[in-house]
Amino acid sequence: MKKLSILGLFIFALISFNSCETEDDVVFTTQSPDGFVFTNATLDSYILTTSTSANLGERFTWDNANFGVPTNTSYELQRSITGDFTDATAISTTTGNEIAVTIGQMMAIATEAGLDADPDSPAPNTGSFSVRVRAFAGDMGGASDAFSNALILNIELLENTGNPGGGSIAPATWGVVGSGYNNWGAFEDATFYTTSTPGVIVSYVNLLDGEIKFRENNTWGGDLGDANGDGVLDADPDNNITVTAGDYKITIDTNDNSYTIEPFSWGIVGSGFNDWGATLDAKLSYDYTTDTFRAGVQLLDGEIKFRMNNTWGGDLGDGNGDGVLDADADNNIVVTAGHYEVIVNLNDNSYSIETADIWGIVGSGFNDWGATVDFNLTQVNPNIWIAENVTLLDGEIKFRQNDTWGTDLGDANDDGILDTDADNNIAVTAGNYVVKIDFTNAGSPVYSLGARQ
């Protein structure tokens, strides 16, 4: 483990505190706030990784600063790499008594301090920085202010060992909730994932006409929207975000709360699937464990290629059959009828089309027990199968592989666990659903039908 000694001694923070008390000009007479200190406990060390950059690093809390006169009080959380706050930089401001700092924000400070996660680099991966709170009597920026005690945070950038398949992307704590996705929490929120950029998270989500906002850990409290439509998330009243139906990529920069919502989907089109766009393309879903997009799909004899947002322009095929997508002429990909798992890596344009057993939805509640093809689910992560934007009818359904009987699963006792018992059809009511099967416990696979409207 590489180490760095960053000047973060507590005594420097105290010197800075005393200096500010004696030298600041005061517009009106106030008393020095007594007991103005942090009230949160800190960890011995904070382990920082890109995969958790959007997660909470620490929530700093403090007592009120009482200036002895009736006045509003504002607070500014400051950080210092040197430890003496001659380099004091504001992290965030509030009129309350707490400020949350993400792992990504800590990583940005670590990078500025000269730390890195490369085990072959001479730069250290451990160090520290200090934080304190500056209190203002009156509006932020007023002349009368005071400082809390300082805290020293020990940080460690987890070194990248380069383990194959280890992955640097992980689910974030944030999710999408609303009438535009899950009927305001009728089932789990749409997941955000970390990215290679600290503090930046992304969700690939199918939305309905309605409203959305963002919250952590599928719970209310601290949820964020955009009240004035300026592209910056806030906790103001009436901050729901209006959306229209479609597939989107939602990106949030938790460092400054900026966000974007843009149409985004890659799909399979061609005579081998939908007669070159007579119906919607077969959507590819995101797999964070491999940073790829994939689909479970039934193909026909014919040709296919890949395109964005169900529109032409920028479509990709494979002109020379080398397994790398290109925009060359005559690049349609020949396929034969069957069930396949299709995987596309947009990082290097590699792809694969492999025969596979694909689970689907069948029943009077969808396709009159097989009068048309089943609704295919996609294995988005190992053992996790998802189908979204599924329109069901009043009736019954079950699950089977490759549009054939003999592997069908239902739920005879309505306990959420799939079985092969008699009379195990699953009753459903008409609506739009997100359907999930979890085979993690192969002996007792569980499923959910998330009603969206």
Side-chain angles (χ1 to χ4, degrees):
M1 180 185 295
K2 301 166 292 177
K3 295 185 177 180
L4 173 67
S5 177
I6 298 176
L7 294 178
L9 298 180
F10 181 69
I11 188 171
F12 289 159
L14 292 178
I15 292 173
S16 178
F17 173 83
N18 292 334
S19 174
C20 290
E21 275 196 323
T22 56
E23 295 180 5
D24 283 353
D25 294 329
V26 179
V27 175
F28 56 87
T29 302
T30 62
Q31 300 175 7
S32 177
D34 294 326
F36 174 38
V37 296
F38 283 107
T39 56
N40 62 285
T42 58
L43 302 178
D44 292 335
S45 181
Y46 294 83
I47 308 300
L48 313 181
T49 66
T50 300
S51 64
T52 59
S53 61
N55 294 348
L56 177 67
E58 184 59 70
R59 189 178 300 277
F60 296 96
T61 60
W62 54 86
D63 295 319
N64 288 328
N66 182 5
F67 286 92
V69 293
T71 181
N72 295 326
T73 304
S74 301
Y75 301 94
E76 177 183 81
L77 181 66
Q78 299 180 337
R79 56 86 168 169
S80 171
I81 294 173
T82 62
D84 60 4
F85 289 93
T86 56
D87 62 338
T89 302
I91 296 176
S92 186
T93 58
T94 183
T95 56
N97 293 86
E98 65 175 55
I99 289 177
V101 175
T102 66
I103 294 291
Q105 288 173 297
M106 290 185 175
M107 291 183 73
I109 297 171
T111 300
E112 185 177 340
L115 279 62
D116 74 32
D118 183 356
D120 298 322
S121 167
N125 72 314
T126 63
S128 63
F129 68 94
S130 299
V131 294
R132 70 180 182 185
V133 177
R134 186 180 188 184
F136 296 83
D139 294 332
M140 188 67 69
S144 181
D145 55 19
F147 297 88
S148 73
N149 63 312
L151 297 177
I152 298 175
L153 306 182
N154 297 311
I155 52 177
E156 176 183 348
L157 286 174
L158 194 63
E159 291 183 330
N160 180 12
T161 60
N163 292 329
S168 60
I169 297 173
T173 55
W174 287 92
V176 183
V177 65
S179 60
Y181 179 68
N182 63 348
N183 197 19
W184 294 109
F187 57 96
E188 63 185 4
D189 300 350
T191 305
F192 277 90
Y193 300 97
T194 61
T195 66
S196 58
T197 304
V200 176
I201 57 178
V202 63
S203 180
Y204 301 95
V205 59
N206 176 266
L207 298 177
L208 308 175
D209 290 334
E211 296 178 320
I212 63 168
K213 62 196 327 181
F214 311 109
R215 62 177 183 172
E216 282 194 287
N217 301 315
N218 289 271
T219 58
W220 295 110
D223 43 285
L224 298 175
D226 187 2
N228 54 10
D230 63 353
V232 179
L233 296 174
D234 56 62
D236 299 345
D238 303 319
N239 63 349
N240 293 346
I241 302 167
T242 301
V243 294
T244 57
D247 294 302
Y248 294 89
K249 176 182 179 181
I250 304 177
T251 305
I252 297 177
D253 186 339
T254 62
N255 299 299
D256 60 10
N257 277 356
S258 61
Y259 76 99
T260 58
I261 302 176
E262 56 185 314
F264 184 97
S265 70
W266 277 93
I268 301 169
V269 65
S271 60
F273 178 69
N274 64 346
D275 193 21
W276 295 109
T279 59
L280 290 177
D281 300 350
K283 180 185 172 183
L284 300 166
S285 297
Y286 183 62
D287 175 12
Y288 81 91
T289 65
T290 56
D291 195 22
T292 59
F293 291 82
R294 59 181 65 209
V297 62
Q298 181 177 357
L299 298 178
L300 310 172
D301 290 333
E303 297 177 320
I304 64 167
K305 61 196 329 181
F306 303 96
R307 64 177 182 172
M308 275 194 72
N309 299 332
N310 291 272
T311 59
W312 294 109
D315 44 286
L316 298 175
D318 187 2
N320 55 8
D322 63 353
V324 178
L325 296 173
D326 55 60
D328 299 346
D330 303 320
N331 64 349
N332 293 347
I333 302 166
V334 176
V335 295
T336 57
H339 289 82
Y340 295 88
E341 182 177 52
V342 180
I343 303 174
V344 174
N345 187 336
L346 295 178
N347 299 302
D348 58 12
N349 276 359
S350 62
Y351 75 98
S352 64
I353 302 174
E354 302 289 343
T355 57
D357 292 325
I358 303 299
W359 286 96
I361 302 168
V362 65
S364 61
F366 177 66
N367 62 349
D368 194 21
W369 295 109
T372 59
V373 296
D374 299 352
F375 196 113
N376 291 324
L377 288 85
T378 293
Q379 186 173 208
V380 294
N381 309 140
N383 299 312
I384 307 297
W385 293 73
I386 295 288
E388 59 184 7
N389 211 26
V390 183
T391 300
L392 296 181
L393 311 172
D394 290 332
E396 296 178 321
I397 64 166
K398 60 195 335 180
F399 304 101
R400 64 177 181 172
Q401 285 184 328
N402 302 339
D403 290 61
T404 58
W405 296 107
T407 56
D408 46 289
L409 296 174
D411 186 4
N413 53 10
D414 197 28
D415 61 356
I417 300 175
L418 294 174
D419 55 60
T420 58
D421 299 345
D423 301 320
N424 63 349
N425 293 345
I426 302 166
V428 294
T429 56
N432 185 293
Y433 289 82
V434 173
V435 181
K436 177 180 178 180
I437 305 177
D438 185 345
F439 287 103
T440 301
N441 183 347
S444 299
V446 297
Y447 75 99
S448 63
L449 305 175
R452 307 180 74 186
Q453 290 180 326

mmCIF file of all heavy atoms in Angstrom, residues 214-230:
data_model
loop_
_atom_site.group_PDB
_atom_site.id
_atom_site.type_symbol
_atom_site.label_atom_id
_atom_site.label_comp_id
_atom_site.label_asym_id
_atom_site.label_seq_id
_atom_site.Cartn_x
_atom_site.Cartn_y
_atom_site.Cartn_z
ATOM 1 N N PHE A 214 -35.983 11.255 -8.608
ATOM 2 C CA PHE A 214 -34.920 10.332 -8.234
ATOM 3 C C PHE A 214 -34.810 10.237 -6.720
ATOM 4 O O PHE A 214 -34.942 11.251 -6.016
ATOM 5 C CB PHE A 214 -33.586 10.797 -8.838
ATOM 6 C CG PHE A 214 -33.696 11.107 -10.302
ATOM 7 C CD1 PHE A 214 -33.634 12.414 -10.757
ATOM 8 C CD2 PHE A 214 -33.891 10.100 -11.228
ATOM 9 C CE1 PHE A 214 -33.754 12.714 -12.104
ATOM 10 C CE2 PHE A 214 -34.023 10.381 -12.586
ATOM 11 C CZ PHE A 214 -33.953 11.693 -13.023
ATOM 12 N N ARG A 215 -34.617 9.021 -6.217
ATOM 13 C CA ARG A 215 -34.476 8.823 -4.778
ATOM 14 C C ARG A 215 -33.478 7.698 -4.513
ATOM 15 O O ARG A 215 -33.164 6.892 -5.400
ATOM 16 C CB ARG A 215 -35.829 8.492 -4.136
ATOM 17 C CG ARG A 215 -36.466 7.208 -4.625
ATOM 18 C CD ARG A 215 -37.770 6.904 -3.895
ATOM 19 N NE ARG A 215 -38.351 5.637 -4.320
ATOM 20 C CZ ARG A 215 -39.402 5.055 -3.756
ATOM 21 N NH1 ARG A 215 -40.002 5.657 -2.729
ATOM 22 N NH2 ARG A 215 -39.854 3.897 -4.199
ATOM 23 N N GLU A 216 -32.998 7.649 -3.264
ATOM 24 C CA GLU A 216 -32.010 6.647 -2.877
ATOM 25 C C GLU A 216 -32.667 5.475 -2.160
ATOM 26 O O GLU A 216 -33.582 5.648 -1.353
ATOM 27 C CB GLU A 216 -30.947 7.269 -1.955
ATOM 28 C CG GLU A 216 -29.904 8.098 -2.680
ATOM 29 C CD GLU A 216 -28.714 8.411 -1.800
ATOM 30 O OE1 GLU A 216 -28.871 9.255 -0.898
ATOM 31 O OE2 GLU A 216 -27.641 7.822 -1.993
ATOM 32 N N ASN A 217 -32.151 4.280 -2.476
ATOM 33 C CA ASN A 217 -32.513 3.055 -1.747
ATOM 34 C C ASN A 217 -34.014 2.775 -1.716
ATOM 35 O O ASN A 217 -34.528 2.223 -0.746
ATOM 36 C CB ASN A 217 -31.953 3.119 -0.320
ATOM 37 C CG ASN A 217 -30.453 3.276 -0.303
ATOM 38 O OD1 ASN A 217 -29.737 2.602 -1.036
ATOM 39 N ND2 ASN A 217 -29.953 4.175 0.548
ATOM 40 N N ASN A 218 -34.727 3.185 -2.776
ATOM 41 C CA ASN A 218 -36.163 2.909 -2.889
ATOM 42 C C ASN A 218 -36.976 3.462 -1.719
ATOM 43 O O ASN A 218 -38.042 2.939 -1.394
ATOM 44 C CB ASN A 218 -36.409 1.401 -3.017
ATOM 45 C CG ASN A 218 -35.965 0.844 -4.358
ATOM 46 O OD1 ASN A 218 -36.735 0.813 -5.308
ATOM 47 N ND2 ASN A 218 -34.723 0.404 -4.431
ATOM 48 N N THR A 219 -36.503 4.530 -1.096
ATOM 49 C CA THR A 219 -37.218 5.116 0.038
ATOM 50 C C THR A 219 -37.339 6.631 -0.140
ATOM 51 O O THR A 219 -36.511 7.266 -0.800
ATOM 52 C CB THR A 219 -36.506 4.832 1.370
ATOM 53 O OG1 THR A 219 -35.162 5.359 1.316
ATOM 54 C CG2 THR A 219 -36.432 3.331 1.638
ATOM 55 N N TRP A 220 -38.381 7.191 0.458
ATOM 56 C CA TRP A 220 -38.602 8.624 0.384
ATOM 57 C C TRP A 220 -37.779 9.348 1.448
ATOM 58 O O TRP A 220 -37.438 8.784 2.473
ATOM 59 C CB TRP A 220 -40.080 8.952 0.549
ATOM 60 C CG TRP A 220 -40.916 8.412 -0.580
ATOM 61 C CD1 TRP A 220 -41.806 7.396 -0.536
ATOM 62 C CD2 TRP A 220 -40.907 8.878 -1.929
ATOM 63 N NE1 TRP A 220 -42.358 7.187 -1.773
ATOM 64 C CE2 TRP A 220 -41.837 8.085 -2.652
ATOM 65 C CE3 TRP A 220 -40.213 9.894 -2.604
ATOM 66 C CZ2 TRP A 220 -42.077 8.271 -4.008
ATOM 67 C CZ3 TRP A 220 -40.463 10.077 -3.958
ATOM 68 C CH2 TRP A 220 -41.387 9.284 -4.640
ATOM 69 N N GLY A 221 -37.518 10.602 1.174
ATOM 70 C CA GLY A 221 -36.699 11.422 2.060
ATOM 71 C C GLY A 221 -35.411 11.755 1.341
ATOM 72 O O GLY A 221 -34.597 10.873 1.064
ATOM 73 N N GLY A 222 -35.242 13.025 0.966
ATOM 74 C CA GLY A 222 -34.061 13.422 0.213
ATOM 75 C C GLY A 222 -34.194 13.205 -1.271
ATOM 76 O O GLY A 222 -33.208 13.318 -2.009
ATOM 77 N N ASP A 223 -35.421 12.898 -1.765
ATOM 78 C CA ASP A 223 -35.616 12.679 -3.194
ATOM 79 C C ASP A 223 -35.439 13.993 -3.957
ATOM 80 O O ASP A 223 -35.688 15.083 -3.446
ATOM 81 C CB ASP A 223 -36.993 12.077 -3.476
ATOM 82 C CG ASP A 223 -38.091 12.750 -2.662
ATOM 83 O OD1 ASP A 223 -38.186 12.477 -1.447
ATOM 84 O OD2 ASP A 223 -38.825 13.565 -3.241
ATOM 85 N N LEU A 224 -35.013 13.871 -5.212
ATOM 86 C CA LEU A 224 -34.654 15.038 -6.006
ATOM 87 C C LEU A 224 -35.432 15.077 -7.304
ATOM 88 O O LEU A 224 -35.690 14.051 -7.938
ATOM 89 C CB LEU A 224 -33.152 15.020 -6.325
ATOM 90 C CG LEU A 224 -32.198 15.074 -5.132
ATOM 91 C CD1 LEU A 224 -30.748 14.920 -5.590
ATOM 92 C CD2 LEU A 224 -32.370 16.386 -4.371
ATOM 93 N N GLY A 225 -35.829 16.282 -7.702
ATOM 94 C CA GLY A 225 -36.470 16.525 -8.980
ATOM 95 C C GLY A 225 -35.909 17.790 -9.589
ATOM 96 O O GLY A 225 -34.769 18.166 -9.310
ATOM 97 N N ASP A 226 -36.711 18.458 -10.410
ATOM 98 C CA ASP A 226 -36.232 19.678 -11.065
ATOM 99 C C ASP A 226 -37.402 20.648 -11.184
ATOM 100 O O ASP A 226 -38.147 20.648 -12.168
ATOM 101 C CB ASP A 226 -35.654 19.336 -12.438
ATOM 102 C CG ASP A 226 -34.992 20.535 -13.107
ATOM 103 O OD1 ASP A 226 -34.943 21.611 -12.496
ATOM 104 O OD2 ASP A 226 -34.520 20.372 -14.249
ATOM 105 N N ALA A 227 -37.556 21.482 -10.168
ATOM 106 C CA ALA A 227 -38.727 22.362 -10.075
ATOM 107 C C ALA A 227 -38.767 23.406 -11.183
ATOM 108 O O ALA A 227 -39.841 23.749 -11.681
ATOM 109 C CB ALA A 227 -38.758 23.045 -8.706
ATOM 110 N N ASN A 228 -37.613 23.933 -11.583
ATOM 111 C CA ASN A 228 -37.612 25.014 -12.574
ATOM 112 C C ASN A 228 -37.100 24.570 -13.938
ATOM 113 O O ASN A 228 -36.890 25.414 -14.818
ATOM 114 C CB ASN A 228 -36.805 26.218 -12.070
ATOM 115 C CG ASN A 228 -35.397 25.830 -11.654
ATOM 116 O OD1 ASN A 228 -34.958 24.702 -11.913
ATOM 117 N ND2 ASN A 228 -34.697 26.744 -11.010
ATOM 118 N N GLY A 229 -36.871 23.268 -14.123
ATOM 119 C CA GLY A 229 -36.482 22.752 -15.429
ATOM 120 C C GLY A 229 -35.165 23.275 -15.945
ATOM 121 O O GLY A 229 -34.970 23.413 -17.157
ATOM 122 N N ASP A 230 -34.210 23.547 -15.023
ATOM 123 C CA ASP A 230 -32.926 24.102 -15.452
ATOM 124 C C ASP A 230 -31.840 23.046 -15.614
ATOM 125 O O ASP A 230 -30.675 23.373 -15.838
ATOM 126 C CB ASP A 230 -32.455 25.174 -14.465
ATOM 127 C CG ASP A 230 -32.207 24.618 -13.062
ATOM 128 O OD1 ASP A 230 -32.515 23.432 -12.814
ATOM 129 O OD2 ASP A 230 -31.707 25.381 -12.207
#
